[in-house]
Amino acid sequence: MATSSSPLPFLLIMMSLLIISCWVLATSASNFYQDFDISWGDGRAKILNNGDLLTLSLDKPSGSGFQSKNEYLFGKIDVQLKLVPGNSAGTVTAYYLSSQGPTHDEIDFEFLGNLSGDPYILHTNVFGQGKGNREQQFYLWFDPTANFHTYSVLWNPKHIIFSVDGTPIREFKNLESIGVRYPKDQPMRIYSSLWNADDWATRGGLVKTDWTQAPFTASYRNFNANACIWSSGASSCSSSSNNSNAWLAEELDSTSQQKLKWVRNNYMIYNYCTDSKRFPQGLPPECVA
Ligand SMILES: *[C@@H]1O[C@H](CO)[C@@H](O)[C@H](O)[C@H]1NC(C)=O
Ligand SMILES: *[C@@H]1O[C@H](CO)[C@@H](O)[C@H](O)[C@H]1NC(C)=O
């Protein structure tokens, strides 16, 4: 039939083009080849499935790691992570943002492994101009080795919010007004590594890595950075006419504050702010603010 004036084939073509372009956008948003370099580990870190998946592994001779190609100055950054399963005692999977040098800034997630069936610890810390000592530790409300879960950092000029599957677990506010160092002037790269830390990681170093279980493997997917990229001294967000960066002003709403409270009440196992033995001259100012 010569009814080529029918709009149906045209619509079908347009729809498939749309679907194809959405697919391209979605995959390019999480392509490890595009966003990261393998930085160490002599072949133990691998980018697989056309860039959709990254795996790190650790055996007795070495761990492995990767780092972002970009430096960022503020961002809302997500990644999905499936941790070392089984007996992961002694291993640490670190995922963090950091700048360079002795007065560096840093925002840390570290996952401390454990014996099969015993809980991982999620260790967090924030460094401002070289000064850390702001650890908070948590158990998770799920087994982080069974499936991928999303670990996020929202870092803007006013807040740093650590989240797990969209549930905030920690907020670090900008309290420069009362003398607390806050990371806001140094662009940071994203780093991740899997390494042996059996001198301290599991039950304070009591449980050692069982090398008969090696290699240990952690997997990453769906990296997404809604972030200001820093390059040659300028930020991709510096254009004041840019309204697409709502996260730059984002803060916890009341529902999120309730969730944060739930995590703190039920899953927080260490908080530097309540460790007065460690700060005999008085707790840091943000703890009493
Ligand atoms: C490992 O399991 C033990 C026993 O349940 C627990 O005390 C400890 O906090 C867990 N995590 C780590 C990293 O040690
Ligand atoms: C606006 O922000 C988006 C998201 O960060 C970025 O991709 C885009 O390049 C920015 N546009 C301008 C004009 O800076």
Side-chain angles (χ1 to χ4, degrees), residues 32 43 46 75 79 90 99 112 120 135 139 142-143 162 167 178 180 213 229:
F32 284 104
K46 292 192 177 77
V79 74
S99 61
L112 318 185
Y120 262 80
E135 299 86 356
Y139 286 145
F142 52 82
D143 173 2
F162 296 79
T167 296
I178 57 164
V180 180
Q213 307 297 308
I229 295 169

Side-chain angles (χ1 to χ4, degrees), residues 1 54 120 132-133 154 180 183 185 187 200 229-230 254 277 283 286:
M1 286 198 302
L54 188 154
Y120 262 80
N133 298 329
L154 169 69
V180 180
D185 299 314
W200 62 270
I229 295 169
W230 185 262
S254 59
K277 264 189 284 178
L283 289 170
E286 69 273 22

